[in-house]
Amino acid sequence: MHAPRLSPEIVLRAYAEGLFPMAQSRNDPTLYWVSPDRRGIFPLGEFHVPKRLARTVRSDKFMVTVDTAFAEVMRACAEPAPGREDTWINDEILRLYIALHGSGHAHSVESRIDGRLVGGLYGVQLGSAFFGESMFSTETDASKVALVHLVARLKAGGFQLLDAQFLTSHLARFGAVEIPRARYLKLLGRALVAQAYWPASSGSVGMASLAPALGDTGLTGAEVTTAGCWPGALVMQLIAQTS
């Protein structure tokens, strides 16, 4: 089913019904609705970080920021890459999601080296559900580290559902699974009525915003942030929490 020109509000209503828009290619102006028979999701309590990647996260090789370069992340996701010569992110998708970001319904996580954007991801938030849209990387592990930081933030904020849309072998390595549409819609319904918060963006993160989720980690406000970013040690502590 093809969609007419959309508004951000229509897109949010579609997400609440289990739908999301895509384009056939970067240069195709037409959008259509997608609702997979089987949906890829990340059970947040079972998210798995491979040992080598965990070491990279803890090393803070990448400075990970949030919501500082949303449009730049989207445009990077839309660019051709090895093994992905075309993408489904066209100009209309860019327009809609940049507007959703402006209203606080879409977020980005950015991996940086020496301030340079080298990887990241973006997605949409509704209630306690986060819908991951796309990611990119120009440096080894940059997008993977962004994903780990995303999951830590979702756990800290009390999110219940991380929607990956489609299951891939790459995502399965982190614990993503595939479930039938009917089960997905039940999980989505619960997540939409539950409260969650997106932890403060880079530059304003402090102990107050993290307090509900940190438990007895014993970190102080100064230890929690480095130039407004979460250190890898904290991120891995949050990942290890099962509830």
Side-chain angles (χ1 to χ4, degrees):
M1 178 175 63
H2 288 275
R5 183 172 174 85
L6 303 177
S7 68
E9 294 74 21
I10 290 175
V11 172
L12 290 177
R13 290 201 295 270
Y15 272 101
E17 298 295 329
L19 301 162
F20 55 89
M22 294 184 72
Q24 289 285 1
S25 68
R26 178 73 176 84
N27 295 318
D28 186 344
T30 305
L31 300 183
Y32 62 97
W33 295 116
V34 181
S35 179
D37 290 333
R38 299 188 64 81
R39 194 83 164 224
I41 67 164
F42 284 100
L44 290 171
E46 301 169 22
F47 186 77
H48 170 69
V49 184
K51 290 182 178 179
R52 184 187 63 80
L53 181 61
R55 289 194 297 269
T56 300
V57 172
R58 290 190 183 97
S59 75
D60 292 322
K61 170 184 176 180
F62 299 98
M63 182 180 74
V64 180
T65 56
V66 172
D67 288 336
T68 66
F70 185 87
E72 192 175 353
V73 167
M74 277 203 74
R75 293 188 178 99
C77 288
E79 289 296 317
R84 188 191 67 187
E85 303 309 318
D86 200 1
T87 73
W88 51 270
I89 303 171
N90 64 6
D91 288 344
E92 183 67 355
I93 292 285
L94 283 165
R95 179 187 70 82
L96 287 165
Y97 286 77
I98 289 172
L100 287 172
H101 174 63
S103 66
H105 289 101
H107 302 285
S108 61
V109 180
E110 308 104 15
S111 292
R112 300 176 182 275
I113 294 179
D114 297 328
R116 178 171 53 92
L117 183 66
V118 295
L121 57 83
Y122 75 96
V124 172
Q125 175 191 354
L126 269 181
S128 66
F130 189 89
F131 308 87
E133 288 297 316
S134 189
M135 60 177 63
F136 84 98
S137 180
T138 60
E139 294 280 347
T140 301
D141 291 338
S143 61
K144 297 175 186 176
V145 169
L147 175 61
V148 175
H149 275 253
L150 169 69
V151 172
R153 285 181 177 269
L154 297 184
K155 295 186 74 169
F159 282 74
Q160 294 188 9
L161 176 65
L162 173 51
D163 179 5
Q165 298 181 344
F166 300 104
L167 181 66
T168 66
S169 58
H170 172 70
L171 297 180
R173 293 181 57 219
F174 295 91
V177 298
E178 195 173 60
I179 60 175
R181 181 193 288 124
R183 184 182 171 202
Y184 170 78
L185 291 175
K186 288 181 180 179
L187 294 175
L188 175 61
R190 294 172 192 160
L192 291 177
V193 298
Q195 291 189 343
Y197 72 96
W198 177 254
S201 59
S202 299
S204 57
V205 179
M207 195 63 189
S209 65
L210 291 173
L214 286 178
D216 60 357
T217 57
L219 294 172
T220 68
E223 292 167 326
V224 165
T225 63
T226 302
C229 305
W230 292 13
L234 170 65
V235 166
M236 292 308 302
Q237 281 182 285
L238 290 168
I239 293 293
Q241 292 183 356
T242 57
S243 61

